[in-house]
Amino acid sequence: MNAEDFTKRAEVRNLLREVQENCKDKVFSDIIDANGNQYVDLVMEGGGVLGIALVGYTYVMEQMGIRFLRIGGTSAGSINALLLAGLGTPEEAKSEKIVELLADLNMYDFIDGDQDVKDLVKTIVQDAGKFKLGWKASQVFDSLEKNLGLNPGNAFTQWVSEILKRAGIETTQQLETRMATLPEGLRGREGQELTQEQASAYLALVAADITTETKVQFPKMASLYWANPAEVNPALYVRASMSIPFFFQPFRVEKIPHGEQAWENWEKLAGYSEDLPSSCILVDGGIMSNFPVDLFHKPARMPKAPTFGAKLGSDHRQHQKIDKPLQLLNAVFNAARHCLDYDFIVRNPEYRKLVTYIDTGDFYWLDFEMKRKEKIDLFLHGAKAAHDFLLKFEWRAYQETRKKLASAYA
């Protein structure tokens, strides 16, 4: 496969032509640069291999001259967020580079457990009968008991690390320096200067520290886990964020910094004031917040740029049938990873105008053997969702809503 298998398809070209014709002079943000690019913030949901759809979404956004300043996400969303942050400066379009990576990617390589693990994953994806599933699961129990996860995750970490290295990024400091390269002529739409906060690019990748029960944002909270956070390879942040419990081995950080300054950092950044552990275990941020659309929310301020949200799945919450143990386990897991995010949108309904719900149909989030056609279809689903959103989004109307809400804090 190559990138053109995704981007040059007639369906994608038609979507772009239609949105370009209808949104040629449309305003999406009040932050622009000298080249006319418009800047927004972006938060992306986790969803395993369904994250391919996120690439289709951001591809259409960038083709429309939309760029991202503050970028956040969980799990699969964190992968796309890191690549958008690391593969170029904020004014550069990076999605085409990500599409090229996707075209060459054999996702099955990320399943780096033994053959029994590979067989179990195939059994799950193929929706085999209970007997076969139980038999295959019994064969990996010893690995699960010993390592707390089926796959080491090393293949994934190496893949991300090599991509970043080729782009000149091996440390957090290098990443932050690249993100701090301000676009030429970055300004408010009427020519006004921007505050430091408004003009700063920012990355927020969400992981779950289950040792201290902390919702972690990387790289902001890297100093809690490493003595020299500036030298940490950013690939480790997404390794933590995408560590699906039991499917991947949890991400362990040893030699947690101690001392008075470390304790103050934990209290300030995490609200944690107990004795500090010697090591911490981090897993997929989705167990706490799979769609952390609140990452950049400032309720008392009028934003100069919206926070777009890309959510994988329908905007309709459906009740679940729960009368079997596995159904109960699945329901508990889904409730844990969704409830905080649902609650935020219920309390801040104006965000419904910012969120794109990407239809992922019958695609399975653990299908690492996804076929060529399915990968392209997922990309197309994301592209179509971005197209539909851009056609209907009205920045000025959203501003008026936020203006009324902000006045309540005056």
Side-chain angles (χ1 to χ4, degrees), residues 141-152 248-250 252:
F141 183 77
D142 56 340
S143 177
L144 191 62
E145 186 176 36
K146 178 182 178 181
N147 301 310
L148 303 182
L150 300 177
N151 295 287
F248 286 106
Q249 294 175 17
R252 291 179 180 269

Side-chain angles (χ1 to χ4, degrees), residues 31 49 90 129 154 166 279 299 336 355 375 389 392 395 400 404:
I31 299 180
V49 301
N154 296 332
R166 291 197 297 268
S279 64
V355 175
K375 290 169 70 172
F389 174 79
K392 71 178 182 180
W395 168 234
E400 286 300 313
K404 294 176 183 177

Side-chain angles (χ1 to χ4, degrees), residues 85-153:
L87 295 185
T89 61
E91 67 180 313
E92 295 179 76
K94 279 89 71 176
S95 290
E96 284 195 76
K97 297 179 182 179
I98 301 174
V99 175
E100 291 174 2
L101 296 170
L102 178 62
D104 289 336
L105 178 62
N106 180 7
M107 296 184 294
Y108 193 69
D109 289 340
F110 294 156
I111 301 177
D112 53 356
D114 60 24
Q115 189 58 48
D116 287 336
V117 170
K118 298 178 189 295
D119 291 343
L120 174 61
V121 173
K122 289 183 179 180
T123 302
I124 294 173
V125 172
Q126 294 169 359
D127 196 21
K130 296 178 183 178
F131 178 79
K132 186 175 182 179
L133 180 61
W135 170 249
K136 292 297 182 182
S138 68
Q139 293 178 310
V140 301
F141 183 77
D142 56 340
S143 177
L144 191 62
E145 186 176 36
K146 178 182 178 181
N147 301 310
L148 303 182
L150 300 177
N151 295 287

Side-chain angles (χ1 to χ4, degrees), residues 164-186:
L164 293 177
K165 184 176 181 179
R166 291 197 297 268
I169 302 294
E170 296 184 79
T171 69
T172 298
Q173 184 172 4
Q174 291 171 335
L175 175 65
E176 292 179 339
T177 298
R178 175 163 294 173
M179 295 186 73
T181 305
L182 293 182
E184 181 182 354
L186 190 70

Side-chain angles (χ1 to χ4, degrees), residues 112 125 165 206 236 341 358 360 379 395:
D112 53 356
V125 172
K165 184 176 181 179
V206 176
L236 299 182
D341 307 326
I358 303 174
T360 53
F379 177 88
W395 168 234

Side-chain angles (χ1 to χ4, degrees), residues 204-226:
L205 309 180
V206 176
D209 175 353
I210 57 175
T211 301
T212 64
E213 299 181 0
T214 299
K215 177 182 173 182
V216 183
Q217 283 187 42
F218 288 129
K220 176 182 178 180
M221 299 169 70
S223 63
L224 305 185
Y225 301 92
W226 291 278

